[in-house]
Every structure is written in C-alpha cells, then in structure tokens.
Amino acid sequence: MDITSELLQKQKNKILEIWMQNQLEDSAFRDDLMTNDELLKQSDELLDALARAVKSGNVNNIFAAEFDQITEILGDISITRARQGFSPRETGMYVLSLKRAISTVMEEELRDKPDVLYKEISTINNLLDQLGIVTFETFIKGREEVILRQTDEINEISTPVIRVWDGILALPIIGTLDSARTQIVMENLLQEIVNTGSTIAILDISGVPAVDSLVAQHLIKTVSATRLMGAECIISGIRAEIAQTIVHLGIDLSNIKTKASLASALQLAFSMSSVEVRKINKNTGAGLTR
C-alpha cells in the first residue's frame, strides 16, 4: 500500500480536481443545498485525512485509531447532509465519486504495471467501500433523528388544548392515537388543567379515523388521568361507525360521558358548569349567561 500512500500524497491536487469534477457533473449534486466552496472544503479535508490514515499501513480495519479522524469527518458530513435534506443516493455518491477519481489517477500512473495496478485498485476500493457503508449508516441515523424530531414537533402542534370557557377545556384529536402520542395528549391536557384550574375537559375524536381496542384503551387512560386531577372528561365525536366498533369490541365506556358532536359536548359542559345558553335578540348582545 506504499504506492497508494505515495500517490495520495503526490497527486492529491489532481485527485481532488477529478473528484470535484465528478461530483459537480453528477446529476444528483444539490447546488441548492451546498455551494461549490463548501464542497471543495469538505473534499479537501477528507482527502487529507484519507492520505494520513493510509500512510499508517492499515487499509483493512477502519475502526482502528488511525481512521478516527476520517470516520469523524464522514460522520459529520453524513449528519449535516441528512439535516439539510440530501437523499441517501446523493450522500453515498460522495464517497463513490472519490473512488472513481483515485482509480483514474492510478490507471494513469501505473498503466505500465497492470499487476500492481490491479492490486492497488482492489485494496483502495475495498477500503472506500467500507467507508461508504459507514457514511450510509451514519446518514440513516441522522435521517431517523430528523424524522423523530419532526414527529415530536407535529405531535405537539397537533394536540392543542383550547380554553373554550371558564373551567372548560377542549382538546381536538386528529389522526391515530398511539402510546407515544397518548402520553403527549395527557401531559398537555393535565398541564393545562393545572394552569387554568379547569374542571371539565372535552376530548373530541372527530378527526380520529378509526377506534380499535388499543385506541379505546388510550382514551380510557386519558380520562382516568384527567379525573385524578379533579376534572371531569367528556368524549365527543362518536360517529355511528365508531360506536358500532366499540360495541363489537366489547369496550365498556358506560362510565364515561360521550357525545356525538363537539357542540353537544359543549352544551353538556355548560350544563355541568351551571351555564345557561339561550337565544336573545341579536341587538341586545351576548346569549351566554350564568
């Protein structure tokens, strides 16, 4: 591997030039997410780290200490690109295009030594394939982190607790309820009960596409937690198909107040709070009185 090490040192600028050209000519290159100067800086830093690692003589174990810097650089690049919105292919091509650049320079330098050329190219290709796998794995982890963070943010946004009247809260639920989201719903609702001193909470499930036994259990847990805080809970949005499903599943909601619509639930909440709703002349003002 001394030949490859020497080549990486002496022909670094040429390799870098070809590598940059390969990347810029690739149809997958995202110049909207990264400037040419940023790409050149990343590539130059990685090529220097690769030359130092290969110079140690180790070309098989990329988890050895001499490869720490290069794997760290690749990790940072992968995580950054995952957050910036690069695709797996675009990130993977970063290392693959380096392999083509080094092979091109090797073929020029060792064209008169086919046996040596074959050996050196095979060795460097194997090394870069391993680094490519590390890059891809790190990228996937970065994307998973982005997806999990976005999911948490969406769950936070999609579970707003609304104060509809003194002592009355409403929480419209849209989408499927799973264990993680139920936890967020309970935390938001219980915190708002504490903040407002409310005694009635309406859970509106009009936007829940289907209710199975698991979703029903999550709703029951939320109701139980609300009662432990001293508030009564009303579930609204019980459509006909949801009611039939609950009956077929044998789920007991007899001890929970349920209503078909949010309007009906609000009317019940007003009644429980001793609030009278009546129609009056529109010129005289409001129609809600205690």
Side-chain angles (χ1 to χ4, degrees), residues 6-40:
E6 184 178 343
L7 184 140
L8 290 174
Q9 295 288 339
K10 291 184 176 180
Q11 299 294 338
K12 176 204 163 182
N13 292 337
K14 189 173 184 178
I15 294 172
L16 181 61
E17 180 183 350
I18 297 174
W19 187 19
M20 283 294 297
Q21 184 178 354
N22 289 343
Q23 294 181 83
L24 295 175
E25 290 178 351
D26 194 310
S27 59
F29 176 65
R30 298 291 300 273
D31 55 359
D32 57 323
L33 299 177
M34 177 179 292
T35 66
N36 291 1
D37 290 340
E38 290 173 333
L39 181 62
L40 177 60

Side-chain angles (χ1 to χ4, degrees), residues 155-173:
N155 284 338
E156 288 286 351
I157 295 172
S158 63
T159 53
V161 181
I162 305 167
R163 186 179 182 185
V164 295
W165 195 255
D166 287 342
I168 302 175
L169 299 175
L171 196 160
I173 302 173

Side-chain angles (χ1 to χ4, degrees), residues 190-205:
L190 298 181
Q191 186 59 51
E192 198 63 22
I193 289 174
V194 172
N195 294 341
T196 62
S198 299
T199 56
I200 299 174
I202 302 172
L203 293 180
D204 184 71
I205 61 171

Side-chain angles (χ1 to χ4, degrees), residues 17-266:
E17 180 183 350
I18 297 174
W19 187 19
M20 283 294 297
Q21 184 178 354
N22 289 343
Q23 294 181 83
L24 295 175
E25 290 178 351
D26 194 310
S27 59
F29 176 65
R30 298 291 300 273
D31 55 359
D32 57 323
L33 299 177
M34 177 179 292
T35 66
N36 291 1
D37 290 340
E38 290 173 333
L39 181 62
L40 177 60
K41 182 179 179 181
Q42 279 186 355
S43 302
D44 185 52
E45 184 181 14
L46 181 63
L47 196 52
D48 279 339
L50 178 62
R52 286 192 294 271
V54 171
K55 189 177 181 180
S56 69
N58 173 25
V59 290
N60 297 313
N61 183 14
I62 64 171
F63 301 104
E66 50 266 31
F67 278 91
D68 285 350
Q69 184 181 16
I70 191 169
T71 53
E72 182 179 346
I73 292 172
L74 285 173
D76 290 342
I77 290 173
S78 300
I79 293 294
T80 300
R81 292 195 174 200
R83 292 171 179 169
Q84 288 176 327
F86 282 85
S87 71
R89 178 185 181 278
E90 292 159 356
T91 305
M93 285 302 296
Y94 179 67
V95 175
L96 293 178
S97 57
L98 171 59
K99 184 163 66 173
R100 294 205 314 269
I102 294 177
S103 296
T104 299
V105 175
M106 275 188 173
E107 289 170 1
E108 292 178 1
E109 294 292 318
L110 302 173
R111 58 181 176 272
D112 297 330
K113 302 176 181 179
D115 294 341
V116 176
L117 174 62
Y118 175 79
K119 179 181 178 182
E120 296 297 320
I121 284 184
S122 297
T123 303
I124 194 67
N125 282 353
N126 179 64
L127 173 62
L128 290 173
D129 285 343
Q130 292 184 64
L131 293 174
I133 292 173
V134 170
T135 303
F136 188 78
E137 289 177 342
T138 308
F139 176 85
I140 295 301
K141 290 179 182 178
R143 284 294 291 270
E144 288 175 349
E145 290 174 2
V146 171
I147 293 171
L148 289 174
R149 187 182 72 250
Q150 291 175 340
T151 301
D152 290 340
E153 291 173 352
I154 291 172
N155 284 338
E156 288 286 351
I157 295 172
S158 63
T159 53
V161 181
I162 305 167
R163 186 179 182 185
V164 295
W165 195 255
D166 287 342
I168 302 175
L169 299 175
L171 196 160
I173 302 173
I174 301 174
T176 303
L177 271 178
D178 55 20
S179 298
R181 192 167 181 219
T182 300
Q183 186 64 31
I184 295 174
V185 167
M186 283 197 293
E187 288 176 358
N188 290 352
L189 181 58
L190 298 181
Q191 186 59 51
E192 198 63 22
I193 289 174
V194 172
N195 294 341
T196 62
S198 299
T199 56
I200 299 174
I202 302 172
L203 293 180
D204 184 71
I205 61 171
S206 301
V208 176
V211 173
D212 55 18
S213 58
L214 185 60
V215 172
Q217 290 301 320
H218 289 321
L219 289 172
I220 292 171
K221 287 180 181 179
T222 304
V223 172
S224 298
T226 303
R227 287 174 173 170
L228 288 174
M229 296 296 294
E232 186 57 60
C233 198
I234 305 170
I235 298 179
S236 66
I238 305 291
R239 304 187 301 276
E241 59 270 25
I242 289 180
Q244 291 178 3
T245 301
I246 291 174
V247 171
H248 289 320
L249 292 173
I251 298 169
D252 183 16
L253 298 181
S254 59
N255 63 337
I256 299 175
K257 294 180 173 62
T258 60
K259 289 293 180 180
S261 67
L262 180 59
S264 298
L266 191 57

